[in-house]
Amino acid sequence: MTAAEPVDLTVADLHPALGDPALTSMNFLNEVSERYPAAVSLAAGRPYEEFFDLAAVHRHLDTFHRHLVDDLGHPPEQARRLLLQYGRTKGIVHHLIARNLAVDEQITVDPEAVVVTVGCQEAMFLVLRALRAGPTDVLLAVAPTYVGLTGAARLVDLPVWPVAGGSSGVDLADLTLQVRRARAAGLRPRGCYLMPDFANPSGVSIDTAHRRRLLEVAAEEDLLLLEDNPYGLFHLDDGPRPPTLKALDTERRVIYLGSFAKTVLPGARVGYVVADQRVAGADGQIGPFADHLAMIKSMVTVNTSPIAQAVIGGRLLEHGCSLVAANGRERAAYARNMRHLVTGLTRRFPDRPDRPAAVRWTVPAGGFFVVVTVPFPVDDALLDRSARDYGVLWTPMAHFYDDTAPVRALRLSVSAVTPEQIDVGLDRLAALITDRLTGRTG
Ligand SMILES: Cc1ncc(COP(=O)(O)O)c(C=O)c1O
């Protein structure tokens, strides 16, 4: 449509978040990959597709149906209704999620504190919508920050206030400083969002001692923590995983956000939130925060598709409610890819006197993402050139910062590619970086 044609609406009259970079970011990245379908994508954080299995989806559904009848004693017509009719707002696999958290994470939680959501994305939205009560409210978030969180905060008019992440995963001195600064400015920090395990995009994890100190700081500053944990199961080594913040939380200070996108199936679009905080109602009654989130959910998605929940529930049941047990193959594939990528970077940028000094990368202990730092700003124009002229996609780290300052880093993802594709992608990325350093490309 040309500018001369009559319009029905203008974006200036719509919610201010529309047009905000946080909301356009994902679309932009998708558009680039659609425009250059032949490019190797080290950008997509999607799960590995080789293990997708349609027959297993049908089996999981049957398994969950049998569970309703045989284990929970529902008459067949009621079991059918539970799967096919509108349903409970907080979900129908909450008891299995609570069991999963006990088995895999040593988190003890009342199933009534669980809300099953349409992906973790809806869980984030519900929590932010509920916490944002007035115009002085802000959300602290460890930077760089997952853009889905920033976008959801925009939609509920909740400013995101960055806290330094650093090599420890969260800079506790900066956290205290920012809480106090916000309060001194008359603002009310409603919580701090972070990802203690293999964060997206930084790849950084928080060690156990630091997790404990973080909980102490949160207690001192009377702060809620929003713990997002989509990648925690995908650790490289075979040692024990550090406890989640929620497992260490003795004060109901942690709101735990979960996703089954990476551990079961992204197409099911099922996630959840554990919100066991006790909320005093206007009538003096006390109930779990989960109930208030459910009230919002009833006006957003009504309930999460019971069919999709049943698929997740069936998979959990088939593995004794352990996603650790269910994800052996996946974990091995991601670990193989991560090692391959890091080795590939070392090979292409060897530690020699002629190595471009400022090309550096993180070596995460797991997860999907590696951050490569380069001595020049990395922006969307460079990504476009990389896709068009070099045939490789990655994500500019600038997308994960909530300002316009130039960022000299890019994110590589190992999740949706084969080792062969990693090799091709890295050859192309190395060519781009070398050309950029030697002035052969602008
Ligand atoms: C950190 C983080 N949180 C949440 C999500 C969204 O999860 P879901 O697909 O369950 O909505 C993602 C997806 O990539 C993510 O990386």
Side-chain angles (χ1 to χ4, degrees), residues 236-250:
L236 287 183
D237 64 27
D238 287 326
R241 287 176 298 126
T244 61
L245 292 176
K246 190 65 191 160
L248 297 172
D249 177 26
T250 53

Side-chain angles (χ1 to χ4, degrees), residues 6-355:
V7 294
D8 300 315
L9 294 166
T10 62
V11 76
D13 296 323
L14 303 178
H15 190 278
L18 296 162
D20 186 285
L23 270 84
T24 52
S25 166
M26 288 197 194
N27 275 353
F28 167 77
L29 296 170
N30 287 339
E31 263 168 42
V32 177
S33 63
E34 273 163 30
R35 244 182 300 136
Y36 303 102
V40 171
S41 181
L42 298 175
R46 298 153 165 250
Y48 202 51
E49 291 177 10
E50 197 179 298
F51 304 131
F52 285 0
D53 178 357
L54 203 53
V57 171
H58 293 273
R59 194 184 66 236
H60 297 333
L61 195 56
D62 289 339
T63 300
F64 184 74
H65 180 249
R66 269 200 312 280
H67 166 69
L68 289 176
V69 175
D70 297 347
D71 301 339
L72 302 185
H74 291 294
E77 71 278 6
Q78 194 182 333
R80 201 180 48 174
R81 187 178 310 124
L82 273 170
L83 289 182
L84 303 181
Q85 185 55 279
Y86 283 111
R88 181 177 178 270
T89 311
K90 287 203 287 184
I92 58 169
V93 294
H94 52 308
H95 59 299
L96 299 179
I97 291 173
R99 218 182 290 165
N100 164 247
L101 289 172
V103 170
D104 282 343
E105 307 294 351
Q106 288 75 53
I107 295 174
T108 307
V109 64
D110 179 351
E112 285 301 322
V114 176
V115 184
V116 188
T117 53
V118 181
C120 179
Q121 186 66 32
E122 189 197 17
M124 294 192 294
F125 181 84
L126 299 179
V127 171
L128 300 186
R129 176 63 282 171
L131 290 178
R132 198 280 189 191
T136 59
D137 290 342
V138 294
L139 178 76
L140 302 172
V142 168
T145 311
Y146 175 56
V147 71
L149 182 279
T150 312
R154 287 282 192 284
L155 286 175
V156 301
D157 304 309
L158 183 63
V160 177
W161 185 294
V163 171
S167 57
S168 68
V170 55
D171 179 331
L172 295 181
D174 194 55
L175 176 60
T176 306
L177 180 72
Q178 299 309 335
V179 172
R180 294 183 182 174
R181 240 184 221 170
R183 286 183 178 146
L187 301 173
R188 190 167 69 139
R190 303 300 281 129
C192 180
Y193 169 86
L194 76 171
M195 234 174 294
D197 296 280
F198 320 128
N200 179 9
S202 72
V204 174
S205 293
I206 302 177
D207 71 30
T208 304
H210 207 65
R211 288 175 197 230
R212 292 187 195 280
R213 284 201 292 280
L214 168 61
L215 284 162
E216 284 166 15
V217 169
E220 280 158 23
E221 299 299 331
D222 191 18
L223 196 65
L224 285 170
L225 298 174
L226 280 56
E227 177 179 28
D228 190 2
N229 187 18
Y231 305 103
L233 297 191
F234 304 119
H235 53 124
L236 287 183
D237 64 27
D238 287 326
R241 287 176 298 126
T244 61
L245 292 176
K246 190 65 191 160
L248 297 172
D249 177 26
T250 53
E251 299 183 340
R252 296 188 293 274
R253 211 164 265 296
V254 178
I255 297 170
Y256 186 82
L257 300 160
S259 170
F260 294 110
K262 278 73 189 186
T263 51
V264 181
L265 201 60
R269 301 301 303 127
V270 179
Y272 64 93
V273 50
V274 177
D276 56 359
Q277 290 67 30
R278 292 193 298 182
V279 179
D283 55 3
Q285 296 281 355
I286 293 176
F289 186 34
D291 287 357
H292 299 264
L293 299 180
M295 233 179 274
I296 302 174
K297 180 175 172 66
S298 73
M299 291 295 138
V300 182
T301 54
V302 183
N303 59 251
T304 302
S305 157
I307 298 172
Q309 290 185 70
V311 172
I312 304 297
R315 176 89 186 264
L316 284 169
L317 286 162
E318 287 173 21
H319 293 88
C321 282
S322 172
L323 290 174
V324 170
N327 276 278
R329 286 179 317 179
E330 287 77 0
R331 190 184 142 219
Y334 296 134
R336 173 202 67 196
N337 282 4
M338 179 63 82
R339 291 196 177 97
H340 199 79
L341 183 92
V342 170
T343 309
L345 282 166
T346 310
R347 197 171 312 129
R348 285 162 184 86
F349 298 98
D351 216 351
R352 291 192 316 241
D354 62 341
R355 170 181 169 176

